[in-house]
Every structure is written in C-alpha cells, then in structure tokens.
Amino acid sequence: MEDGTSSRDFVILGGGGHAKVLLSLLRSRGCSVRGWVGPADTALTGLMSTIPHIGPDHDFRAGTSPDSVDLALGLGANERRLALYADLSDAGYRFPAVQHPASHVAHGVALGDGVQIMAGAVIQPDCEIGDATVINTGSSVDHDSRIGAGCHLAPGSTVCGGVDIGRAVLIGAGATLIPGVRIGDRAVVAAGAVVTRDVEAGANVAGVPARALSSPTA
C-alpha cells in the first residue's frame, strides 16, 4: 500500500471543496504539490489559493509529462472522477493511493490506485477498495468488505462487515450499511439511510430502513 509519500510533485485535478481537503491531506504527509488543474472559476478561496493554478483541463497534458508528476483526483463526483482516472492512467500518468495520518488502515487491506482515505477514516482487515474511490472524513469500512472503483463514501458513513459495493456508488453522509448487503453499480444511498437489504444497480434509496426512491436505471 502506498501512503501518499512520493519523491515527485503532486498535481491536483480540480479546485473545489474536495480538492481543498485533498490538498490538506497531501500536506499532512509532507508531499510537495505543484498546483491544481481545472477551470479558474471553480477554485475556492483560502487554502487552494496557496498553490498555483496550472491551467484548464485541456492544457494539462501539453505541459506536464507522465514521468514528471503524480496526480490526485480533487473531484467529488464519481463518474467524472472515474473517467478522468481511466483516461489519464491510459496516458501513463500515475495516481498513488493517499492516506491521512489521522486515519487507520488495517493489515490485509488492498487499496487500488488513486484511493483517498481522509482524516478519521477506519478500514478494517481484509477489505478491498477499488481504484479512484474516496473514503471520506470519519467514515468506516469493516472487515471483509469490497468497494468497487470510483465510489464515494461521504463523511461519517458506516459500512459493516462483509458488504459488497459495486462501481461508482455514492454512500451519503451518516448512512449505515448492515453486514452482508450488496449495493449495485451507480446506486445512491441517501444521507442517514440504514440499508438492511440489497440495493439494485442504479437505484436511489433513502430512509430507515432504506427504500427505493426511483426505479433503477441500466
């Protein structure tokens, strides 16, 4: 498992709120951050203003070779984050997994490329976390759970043991998934929901216990 320590500078893709938290994480690891990439009007004031704006997305590859930097995905939206990861990985760019020092990752955890583990998060033994997935502030993933690529576990969410989560799934803030449930690709679990049974691919669920808000989409 990589921990975000690198001899190369990082470039953050995105300039909004998630990018700000990611910048703080990288600095907590002692990483050097060259700047951020994206539309200039997306940047927040404060911490993001302390690093250079390299330019918009379409200018990035022209001025930055794959062997000169590491990349970090400062985007909260699952599909966009996953698409950028796939495109730039195919072009030879590297996305190390990054872990905040105030988080805990147990032995036997497999982390994919571009995984981000934020402050206060806990991942217990024998879990698998897919590429470009965000385990956000104070969220927890218990033993033997599998989380697919491009997912986002929002702050304070709880994934109990043996849960299987598909690709590009959003688990809302404070949601709880009981042991052994399965969540299909691109599903959305609303904030505060308690999931007690399997969720179909593309479904949106909410409530206690969680129930479907819309019909699944292919």
Side-chain angles (χ1 to χ4, degrees), residues 158-191:
T158 300
V159 175
C160 293
V163 169
D164 191 304
I165 298 175
R167 182 181 179 90
V169 171
L170 173 62
I171 307 297
T176 298
L177 280 58
I178 70 164
V181 297
R182 295 177 178 272
I183 312 297
D185 294 349
R186 304 178 312 283
V188 175
V189 175

Side-chain angles (χ1 to χ4, degrees), residues 27 137 146 193:
R27 284 184 168 170
T137 310
R146 188 195 71 83

Side-chain angles (χ1 to χ4, degrees), residues 104-130:
H104 172 73
V105 177
H107 295 292
V109 173
L111 297 182
D113 294 336
V115 169
Q116 298 168 15
I117 305 168
M118 301 303 186
V122 175
I123 304 177
Q124 297 290 17
D126 296 325
C127 290
E128 178 182 338
I129 313 298

